[in-house]
Amino acid sequence: MATRTWVSGVGNDANPGSRTAPCKTFAGAISKTANPGEIDCLDPGGFGAVTITKSVTLDGTGTFGSILASGTTGVIINGAGINVTLRGLSINGVGASAGITGIKIVNANNVHIINCMVFGFTGGVARGIDDQRTGGGRLFVVNTVVRENGTGIQLKPSAGATAILGFIDRCTITGNTSSAVLAGAGSRVSVSNSLVSGNSVNGLFSNATGGLAGPEINAESCIVVANGTGINCDTGSFFNMSNLFITTNATGLAGAGTYGTFGNNHITENTAGNTVPGAPPIIGGK
């Protein structure tokens, strides 16, 4: 197997995946790629849904690398201890209840999603990025657009699982019909330098249901605007906030969970929920 293989819009999966004889799809190339290895997009193309069971990088940087996932999950990551990077990819669920999940993480160590766009996964309980692994691990989502899905990004391990750690930085999470970011029981999520806007139910949701230890969201330097509820912190959940701009949501902040505030947030012009629940007034901030 080669450490680096290639896919091309005019390739063929019968090829070895070399630079001069590229494969047609990610699924065709991955069986010819070493662990760990890298699959690069040689030119623009739609390279198909793929299941990843080894440490690998899928890289569309410098061209247009796309996965059109009509009625199926775009990328499934399922391998004990593997490290996976998705970079420079457009993952399209086609909308109108056609897509299921953009990126589904069942089992892995570290998963990096960088410079990607994940959109159009709207059917039923569809999610843009769904981290449901049971063995713990880390999820990094950087400089990525997650839009017009059911839930944008969900981290929700099952009962009895090890905690998932999530890091979301410089992302735009918008137009999702449920929550932009849902941190389920057993997860700890940091969200920084991101825009959370136009999500129908919640912007950032710390959701304690599921039987694990209460989830925690730590949010720093984000704009949370024009959502149903900007920030929702369930009973048994935790939400720490610093330098957030929370405005023009139907409800700014809600929930009976535990809020921690550094007193430097700007919370204004929400129809309701313009104070931090359970927190005393702080001069110079909220």
Side-chain angles (χ1 to χ4, degrees), residues 5-266:
T5 58
W6 301 82
V7 291
S8 168
V10 293
N12 189 318
D13 283 346
N15 290 338
S18 64
R19 175 67 174 75
T20 55
C23 290
K24 174 69 173 177
T25 68
F26 287 133
I30 200 163
S31 63
K32 300 161 186 174
T33 307
N35 180 12
E38 181 168 334
I39 304 172
D40 292 330
C41 299
L42 187 59
D43 51 34
F47 301 115
V50 62
T51 296
I52 298 172
T53 58
K54 64 178 72 173
S55 294
V56 72
T57 294
L58 307 186
D59 197 338
T61 303
T63 184
F64 181 73
S66 173
I67 294 173
L68 194 64
S70 178
T72 189
T73 294
V75 178
I76 298 173
I77 299 171
N78 187 8
I82 66 174
N83 298 306
V84 174
T85 297
L86 308 178
R87 184 166 54 224
L89 301 177
S90 172
I91 304 174
N92 182 357
V94 192
S97 77
I100 299 173
T101 296
I103 302 167
K104 181 178 180 179
I105 306 166
V106 180
N107 195 2
N109 181 27
N110 295 317
V111 176
H112 297 261
I113 301 168
I114 305 168
N115 298 335
C116 291
M117 180 174 287
V118 185
F119 62 102
F121 293 89
T122 59
V125 291
R127 295 154 189 130
I129 300 169
D130 183 14
D131 193 338
Q132 56 178 249
R133 62 190 125 167
T134 60
R138 292 175 173 83
L139 171 66
F140 303 86
V141 187
V142 179
N143 199 33
T144 287
V145 176
V146 183
R147 63 174 177 84
E148 298 163 13
N149 305 288
T151 297
I153 302 173
Q154 175 172 288
L155 297 91
K156 196 170 186 178
S158 61
T162 305
I164 299 172
L165 302 180
F167 306 90
I168 300 167
D169 184 50
R170 289 173 286 135
C171 290
T172 297
I173 312 167
T174 183
N176 299 288
T177 57
S178 185
S179 298
V181 176
L182 187 154
S187 66
R188 180 174 293 177
V189 182
S190 296
V191 186
S192 57
N193 307 301
S194 294
L195 172 64
V196 178
S197 177
N199 301 284
S200 299
V201 180
N202 298 296
L204 305 178
F205 184 21
S206 191
N207 174 225
T209 60
L212 297 175
E216 179 178 305
I217 293 180
N218 302 296
E220 166 77 27
S221 300
C222 295
I223 296 174
V224 183
V225 58
N227 303 283
T229 296
I231 295 172
N232 192 350
C233 182
D234 261 351
T235 301
S237 299
F238 301 89
F239 197 104
N240 296 314
M241 50 196 294
S242 174
N243 197 31
L244 303 187
F245 186 58
I246 306 167
T247 187
T248 62
N249 302 281
T251 301
L253 297 98
T258 301
Y259 278 89
T261 174
F262 288 87
N264 58 350
N265 302 287
H266 305 275

